[in-house]
Amino acid sequence: MEDTQREYGDGDFICREGDVGDVAFVILKGTAELLKATPRGLERAAILSTGERFGTSAEHDHGVYAATIRAVGRVVVEVIPKPHPAEPLQAQDAGDSPSSAVNDEGREPSGPGLLDRFSDWYRAVGPGHLDLRLAQIVDEAGTDVTGQILKVLGKQPGLRVRAAKVTAQLVTADTPPEHISAMAEIGREWLKGAGGDLLAWGEVPPPGTSVHLRLVSAIADDEDRPGALALTSTLCLPIGFGADFAPLLHAVALAAAVPANERRRRTLRALLAKTLEPAGAVLRSLPGELTARERGSLRMAFANAVATVAVYLGSADRFQMAALNYREALEDLTAEETPSDWALTQAHLGAILHILAEHHRGADTLTAAATALRAALQVLTRTAHSRQWAASQNRLGLVLYRLDAHTGNTELLKGALSAYQSALQVYNRANTPLIWAEVLNNFAQAGQVLGQHLRNPDLIAKAADACRDSLAVRTRSDTPLLWAATQNNLGSALFMLGQLTRNGKDLEDAGKAFGRARDLYRKQDLR
């Protein structure tokens, strides 16, 4: 093969979003998919075919790839050097794009720039950056344990801890799960008025040997983000715990906070990355007298912190580390004694494995992800855990859709469609427009593939209708790349439908939809 040409096998990454590069590519043979990094992992935004161009360009001389491109089957590309290459860039601020801190082997870069920047950010952040309010906690005998927690957390970098002038116990062990979302909103309203970032409260349940802490962030998190805090999650600590637990509590608090802007996100990312090693050391030296529930809750909380860093950095190594800790947590948590924490750990594990499978396209990893998500859905219910249930259903649909691509088992596609339809029982255009539009787009992808396989025009038509509904929310002005992805999806559905029914109008409309998507990609130099 000529020096100016390269060949890639199915699943090989041609370039990654955020990587430094000084060449462009033109597809000579085959098909590739354009992927964008999201909190849910890499998601397909477009399909690129023969003759299409991507990579860096003379017009946009930034030296950094704007998208991740992955081969679908065998792909041959022509390599085009830039006419005036820029000086090599230093590694970007880790996390500016979720893939920017991962090299071709999925490892974090070890050069000095990344850690130096973390240290600079860490030193620059003074006390009080993250405002944690702690409600009063008393045991059955009336002993106040709030001061102990304030003392342990009071000297942690980037964290300001104050007693909260609120006595209401938002959620206790007796709170019905279906009331928890409403209680979370009460907590957020209180935080909004108090100007805090996090509210912590808890209880000392019988027999009084441990304190159970809960956290709510001022800004609601994405339920489907790996490591996202759930109000039902409980951090169980032995009564009388000391300063040796401070690094772990510090990491848990930082991971629970949802940043309001990019500046805050960068600061939290730097602080949290710095806390992982000392927090992990706490887990390695836990007192032997801890109960299984206490060990499990601490491991789950640490895994949430690791997963949050992994999302910030797009780091495959961190995702692997989070998966390991979630599995260790599941050795202590049980569906019978701690159903909510057990189910949420399974859901987080499934999400992590799905993301890792997208990195490596492994059928075994996808199968493990499906197993974990199905386990979570044995406990999570639409009534009691509506958002987590819907998020897990959507994630399960994505996993089953990918598994079908590996196995060709159409029953998996049927399972994916059923999972998406379940998620749409909770998500709607009025209350959750963006995620509603995303699930519709996911449904359309699976529906048209199954419809083509079964030669069922009605199913393909439903897929096209789902795309049209999604486009009512995914507009070119507000979400241009998502709009283009759904236009591309609509074009694919209409093309399949036109071929199956020999309807020229559908084929004509398919060409228009493809054209709209291509125009947007060219304008944004994602060709």
Side-chain angles (χ1 to χ4, degrees), residues 4-62:
T4 58
Q5 295 182 14
R6 296 178 189 171
E7 181 175 339
Y8 296 87
D10 182 46
D12 289 345
F13 287 94
I14 302 172
C15 63
R16 291 179 183 268
E17 179 182 359
D19 280 357
V20 175
D22 59 358
V23 298
F25 304 91
V26 175
I27 297 178
L28 300 179
K29 295 180 182 178
T31 303
E33 54 184 352
L34 184 151
L35 306 170
K36 296 299 290 182
T38 75
R40 297 172 180 80
L42 292 174
E43 295 185 356
R44 179 187 290 179
I47 288 291
L48 307 178
S49 55
T50 302
E52 298 203 72
R53 179 185 178 283
F54 56 91
T56 57
S57 70
E59 295 85 2
H60 296 269
D61 193 9
H62 304 307

Coordinates of all heavy atoms in Angstrom, one line a residue, residues 4-62:
T4 N 1.0 7.1 1.3 CA 0.0 8.1 1.6 C -1.3 7.5 1.9 O -2.3 8.1 2.1 CB -0.2 9.0 0.4 OG1 -0.6 8.2 -0.8 CG2 1.0 9.8 0.1
Q5 N -1.4 6.1 2.0 CA -2.6 5.4 2.3 C -2.4 4.6 3.6 O -1.3 4.1 3.8 CB -3.0 4.5 1.1 CG -3.4 5.3 -0.1 CD -3.9 4.3 -1.2 OE1 -4.1 3.2 -1.0 NE2 -3.9 4.8 -2.5
R6 N -3.5 4.5 4.3 CA -3.5 3.6 5.5 C -4.8 2.7 5.5 O -5.8 3.2 5.0 CB -3.5 4.5 6.8 CG -2.2 5.3 7.0 CD -2.3 6.1 8.2 NE -1.2 7.1 8.3 CZ -1.2 8.1 9.3 NH1 -2.1 8.1 10.2 NH2 -0.2 8.9 9.3
E7 N -4.6 1.6 6.1 CA -5.8 0.7 6.2 C -6.1 0.4 7.6 O -5.2 0.2 8.5 CB -5.4 -0.7 5.5 CG -6.6 -1.7 5.5 CD -6.3 -2.9 4.7 OE1 -5.4 -2.9 3.8 OE2 -7.0 -3.9 4.9
Y8 N -7.4 0.4 7.9 CA -7.9 0.1 9.3 C -8.9 -1.0 9.3 O -9.7 -1.2 8.3 CB -8.5 1.4 9.9 CG -7.6 2.6 10.0 CD1 -7.4 3.4 9.0 CD2 -6.9 2.8 11.2 CE1 -6.5 4.5 9.1 CE2 -6.0 3.8 11.4 CZ -5.8 4.7 10.3 OH -4.9 5.7 10.5
G9 N -8.8 -1.8 10.3 CA -9.8 -2.9 10.5 C -11.0 -2.4 11.3 O -11.1 -1.3 11.8
D10 N -12.0 -3.3 11.3 CA -13.3 -3.0 12.0 C -13.1 -2.6 13.4 O -12.4 -3.4 14.2 CB -14.2 -4.2 11.9 CG -15.6 -3.9 12.5 OD1 -16.1 -2.8 12.3 OD2 -16.1 -4.7 13.3
G11 N -13.5 -1.4 13.8 CA -13.4 -1.0 15.2 C -12.1 -0.2 15.5 O -12.0 0.3 16.6
D12 N -11.2 -0.1 14.5 CA -10.0 0.7 14.8 C -10.3 2.2 14.8 O -11.1 2.6 14.0 CB -9.0 0.4 13.6 CG -8.4 -1.0 13.7 OD1 -8.5 -1.6 14.8 OD2 -7.7 -1.4 12.7
F13 N -9.7 2.9 15.7 CA -9.8 4.3 15.7 C -8.8 5.0 14.7 O -7.6 4.7 14.8 CB -9.6 4.9 17.1 CG -10.6 4.6 18.1 CD1 -10.6 3.4 18.9 CD2 -11.8 5.4 18.2 CE1 -11.6 3.1 19.8 CE2 -12.8 5.1 19.1 CZ -12.7 4.0 19.9
I14 N -9.4 5.8 13.8 CA -8.5 6.5 12.8 C -8.0 7.8 13.5 O -6.8 8.1 13.3 CB -9.3 6.8 11.6 CG1 -9.9 5.5 11.0 CG2 -8.5 7.5 10.5 CD1 -10.8 5.7 9.8
C15 N -8.8 8.5 14.2 CA -8.3 9.6 15.0 C -9.3 9.8 16.1 O -10.4 9.3 16.1 CB -8.2 10.9 14.2 SG -9.8 11.5 13.5
R16 N -8.8 10.5 17.2 CA -9.7 10.7 18.4 C -9.8 12.2 18.6 O -8.9 13.0 18.5 CB -9.0 10.0 19.6 CG -9.0 8.5 19.6 CD -8.3 8.0 20.9 NE -8.2 6.6 21.0 CZ -9.1 5.8 21.5 NH1 -10.2 6.3 22.1 NH2 -8.9 4.5 21.6
E17 N -11.0 12.5 19.1 CA -11.3 13.9 19.4 C -10.3 14.4 20.5 O -10.1 13.7 21.5 CB -12.8 14.0 20.0 CG -13.2 15.4 20.4 CD -14.6 15.4 21.0 OE1 -15.2 14.3 21.0 OE2 -15.0 16.5 21.4
G18 N -9.8 15.6 20.3 CA -8.8 16.1 21.2 C -7.4 15.8 21.0 O -6.5 16.4 21.6
D19 N -7.1 14.7 20.2 CA -5.7 14.4 20.0 C -5.0 15.4 19.1 O -5.7 16.0 18.2 CB -5.6 13.0 19.3 CG -5.8 11.8 20.3 OD1 -5.9 12.2 21.5 OD2 -5.8 10.7 19.9
V20 N -3.7 15.6 19.3 CA -3.0 16.5 18.4 C -2.7 15.8 17.1 O -2.4 14.6 17.1 CB -1.6 16.9 19.1 CG1 -0.8 17.7 18.1 CG2 -1.9 17.6 20.4
G21 N -2.9 16.5 16.0 CA -2.7 15.9 14.6 C -2.4 16.9 13.6 O -2.8 18.1 13.8
D22 N -1.7 16.5 12.5 CA -1.4 17.5 11.5 C -1.7 17.0 10.1 O -1.1 17.4 9.1 CB 0.1 17.9 11.6 CG 1.0 16.7 11.4 OD1 0.5 15.6 11.3 OD2 2.2 16.9 11.5
V23 N -2.7 16.0 10.0 CA -3.0 15.5 8.7 C -4.6 15.4 8.6 O -5.3 15.5 9.6 CB -2.5 14.1 8.5 CG1 -1.0 14.1 8.5 CG2 -3.0 13.1 9.6
A24 N -5.0 15.4 7.4 CA -6.4 15.1 7.1 C -6.5 13.8 6.4 O -5.5 13.2 6.0 CB -7.0 16.2 6.2
F25 N -7.7 13.2 6.4 CA -8.0 11.9 5.8 C -9.1 12.0 4.8 O -10.1 12.7 5.0 CB -8.3 10.9 6.9 CG -7.3 10.8 8.0 CD1 -7.4 11.5 9.1 CD2 -6.3 9.9 7.9 CE1 -6.5 11.4 10.1 CE2 -5.3 9.7 8.9 CZ -5.5 10.5 10.0
V26 N -9.0 11.2 3.7 CA -10.1 11.0 2.8 C -10.4 9.5 2.7 O -9.4 8.7 2.5 CB -9.8 11.6 1.4 CG1 -10.9 11.3 0.4 CG2 -9.6 13.1 1.5
I27 N -11.6 9.1 2.8 CA -12.0 7.7 2.8 C -11.9 7.3 1.3 O -12.6 7.8 0.4 CB -13.4 7.5 3.3 CG1 -13.4 7.8 4.8 CG2 -13.8 6.0 3.2 CD1 -14.7 7.6 5.5
L28 N -11.1 6.3 1.0 CA -11.0 5.7 -0.3 C -11.9 4.5 -0.5 O -12.4 4.3 -1.6 CB -9.5 5.3 -0.6 CG -8.5 6.5 -0.6 CD1 -7.1 6.0 -0.9 CD2 -8.8 7.6 -1.6
K29 N -11.9 3.7 0.6 CA -12.8 2.5 0.5 C -13.4 2.3 1.9 O -12.7 2.4 2.9 CB -12.0 1.3 0.1 CG -11.4 1.3 -1.3 CD -10.6 0.0 -1.5 CE -10.0 0.0 -2.9 NZ -9.2 -1.2 -3.2
G30 N -14.6 1.9 1.9 CA -15.3 1.5 3.2 C -16.1 2.7 3.8 O -16.3 3.7 3.2
T31 N -16.4 2.4 5.1 CA -17.3 3.3 5.8 C -16.7 3.5 7.2 O -16.1 2.6 7.8 CB -18.7 2.7 6.0 OG1 -19.2 2.5 4.7 CG2 -19.6 3.7 6.7
A32 N -16.9 4.7 7.8 CA -16.4 5.1 9.1 C -17.5 5.8 9.9 O -18.5 6.3 9.2 CB -15.2 5.9 9.1
E33 N -17.5 5.7 11.2 CA -18.5 6.4 12.0 C -17.8 7.6 12.7 O -16.7 7.4 13.3 CB -19.2 5.5 12.9 CG -18.4 4.7 13.8 CD -19.1 3.7 14.7 OE1 -20.4 3.8 14.7 OE2 -18.5 2.9 15.4
L34 N -18.5 8.7 12.8 CA -18.1 9.9 13.5 C -18.7 9.8 14.9 O -20.0 9.7 15.0 CB -18.5 11.2 12.8 CG -18.0 12.5 13.4 CD1 -17.9 13.5 12.3 CD2 -19.0 13.0 14.4
L35 N -17.9 9.8 15.9 CA -18.4 9.7 17.3 C -18.1 10.9 18.1 O -17.1 11.6 17.9 CB -17.7 8.5 18.0 CG -17.8 7.1 17.2 CD1 -16.8 6.1 17.9 CD2 -19.2 6.6 17.2
K36 N -19.0 11.3 19.0 CA -18.8 12.4 19.9 C -18.9 11.9 21.3 O -19.7 11.0 21.6 CB -19.9 13.5 19.7 CG -19.9 14.1 18.3 CD -18.5 14.9 18.1 CE -18.4 16.1 18.9 NZ -17.1 16.8 18.6
A37 N -18.0 12.4 22.1 CA -17.9 12.0 23.5 C -19.0 12.6 24.3 O -19.3 13.8 24.2 CB -16.6 12.3 24.1
T38 N -19.8 11.8 25.1 CA -20.8 12.3 26.0 C -20.7 11.7 27.3 O -19.9 10.7 27.5 CB -22.2 12.0 25.4 OG1 -22.5 10.6 25.6 CG2 -22.3 12.3 23.9
P39 N -21.4 12.1 28.4 CA -21.3 11.4 29.6 C -21.8 9.9 29.6 O -21.4 9.2 30.4 CB -22.3 12.2 30.5 CG -22.3 13.6 29.9 CD -22.2 13.4 28.4
R40 N -22.4 9.6 28.5 CA -22.8 8.2 28.3 C -21.8 7.4 27.5 O -22.1 6.3 27.1 CB -24.2 8.1 27.6 CG -25.3 8.7 28.5 CD -26.6 8.8 27.7 NE -27.6 9.4 28.5 CZ -27.8 10.7 28.7 NH1 -27.0 11.6 28.1 NH2 -28.7 11.2 29.4
G41 N -20.7 8.0 27.2 CA -19.7 7.3 26.4 C -19.7 7.9 24.9 O -20.3 9.0 24.6
L42 N -19.0 7.2 24.0 CA -19.0 7.6 22.7 C -20.3 7.3 22.0 O -20.8 6.2 22.0 CB -17.8 6.9 21.9 CG -16.4 7.3 22.4 CD1 -15.4 6.4 21.7 CD2 -16.1 8.8 22.1
E43 N -20.9 8.3 21.3 CA -22.2 8.1 20.6 C -22.0 8.5 19.2 O -21.4 9.5 18.8 CB -23.3 8.9 21.3 CG -23.6 8.4 22.7 CD -24.8 9.2 23.3 OE1 -25.3 10.1 22.7 OE2 -25.2 8.8 24.4
R44 N -22.6 7.7 18.3 CA -22.5 8.0 16.9 C -23.2 9.3 16.5 O -24.4 9.5 16.8 CB -23.1 6.8 16.1 CG -23.0 7.1 14.6 CD -23.7 6.0 13.8 NE -23.0 4.7 13.9 CZ -23.5 3.6 13.3 NH1 -24.6 3.6 12.6 NH2 -22.8 2.5 13.4
A45 N -22.5 10.2 15.8 CA -23.1 11.4 15.3 C -23.4 11.4 13.8 O -24.2 12.1 13.3 CB -22.3 12.6 15.6
A46 N -22.6 10.5 13.1 CA -22.8 10.5 11.6 C -22.0 9.3 11.1 O -21.1 8.7 11.7 CB -22.2 11.8 10.9
I47 N -22.4 8.9 9.8 CA -21.7 7.9 9.1 C -20.9 8.6 7.9 O -21.5 9.4 7.2 CB -22.6 6.8 8.5 CG1 -23.1 6.0 9.7 CG2 -22.0 5.9 7.5 CD1 -22.1 5.1 10.3
L48 N -19.7 8.2 7.7 CA -18.9 8.8 6.6 C -18.6 7.7 5.6 O -18.3 6.6 6.0 CB -17.6 9.4 7.2 CG -17.7 10.4 8.4 CD1 -16.3 10.8 8.8 CD2 -18.5 11.6 7.9
S49 N -18.6 8.0 4.4 CA -18.5 7.0 3.3 C -17.4 7.5 2.3 O -16.7 8.5 2.5 CB -19.8 6.8 2.6 OG -20.3 8.0 2.1
T50 N -17.2 6.7 1.3 CA -16.1 7.0 0.3 C -16.2 8.4 -0.2 O -17.2 8.9 -0.6 CB -16.3 6.0 -0.9 OG1 -16.2 4.6 -0.4 CG2 -15.2 6.2 -1.9
G51 N -15.0 9.0 -0.2 CA -14.9 10.4 -0.7 C -15.0 11.5 0.3 O -14.6 12.6 0.0
E52 N -15.4 11.1 1.5 CA -15.6 12.1 2.5 C -14.3 12.4 3.3 O -13.5 11.5 3.5 CB -16.7 11.7 3.5 CG -18.1 11.6 2.8 CD -19.2 11.7 3.7 OE1 -19.5 12.9 4.2 OE2 -19.9 10.7 4.0
R53 N -14.1 13.6 3.7 CA -12.9 14.1 4.3 C -13.1 14.4 5.8 O -14.1 14.9 6.2 CB -12.4 15.3 3.6 CG -11.1 15.9 4.1 CD -10.8 17.2 3.3 NE -9.7 17.9 3.8 CZ -9.6 18.6 4.9 NH1 -10.6 18.8 5.7 NH2 -8.4 19.2 5.3
F54 N -12.1 14.2 6.6 CA -12.1 14.6 8.0 C -10.7 14.8 8.5 O -9.7 14.5 7.8 CB -12.8 13.5 8.9 CG -12.2 12.1 8.8 CD1 -11.2 11.7 9.6 CD2 -12.6 11.2 7.8 CE1 -10.6 10.5 9.5 CE2 -12.1 10.0 7.7 CZ -11.1 9.6 8.5
G55 N -10.6 15.3 9.8 CA -9.2 15.5 10.3 C -9.0 17.0 10.4 O -9.9 17.8 10.4
T56 N -7.7 17.4 10.5 CA -7.3 18.8 10.6 C -7.3 19.4 9.1 O -7.3 18.7 8.2 CB -6.0 19.0 11.2 OG1 -5.0 18.3 10.5 CG2 -6.0 18.6 12.6
S57 N -7.3 20.7 9.1 CA -7.3 21.4 7.8 C -6.6 22.7 7.8 O -6.3 23.2 8.8 CB -8.8 21.7 7.4 OG -9.3 22.7 8.2
A58 N -6.3 23.2 6.6 CA -5.6 24.5 6.5 C -6.5 25.6 7.0 O -6.1 26.6 7.5 CB -5.2 24.7 5.1
E59 N -7.9 25.4 6.8 CA -8.8 26.5 7.1 C -9.0 26.6 8.7 O -9.2 27.6 9.2 CB -10.2 26.2 6.5 CG -10.2 26.3 5.0 CD -9.8 24.9 4.4 OE1 -9.5 24.0 5.1 OE2 -9.7 24.9 3.1
H60 N -8.8 25.5 9.4 CA -8.9 25.4 10.8 C -7.6 24.9 11.4 O -7.5 23.7 11.7 CB -10.1 24.6 11.2 CG -11.4 25.1 10.8 ND1 -12.2 26.0 11.5 CD2 -12.1 24.9 9.6 CE1 -13.3 26.3 10.9 NE2 -13.2 25.7 9.7
D61 N -6.6 25.7 11.5 CA -5.3 25.3 11.8 C -5.1 25.2 13.3 O -4.3 25.9 13.9 CB -4.3 26.3 11.1 CG -2.9 25.7 11.1 OD1 -2.7 24.6 11.5 OD2 -2.0 26.5 10.8
H62 N -5.8 24.3 14.0 CA -5.7 24.2 15.4 C -4.8 23.1 15.8 O -4.4 23.0 16.9 CB -7.1 24.0 16.0 CG -8.1 25.1 15.7 ND1 -7.8 26.4 15.9 CD2 -9.3 25.0 15.2 CE1 -8.9 27.1 15.5 NE2 -9.8 26.3 15.0

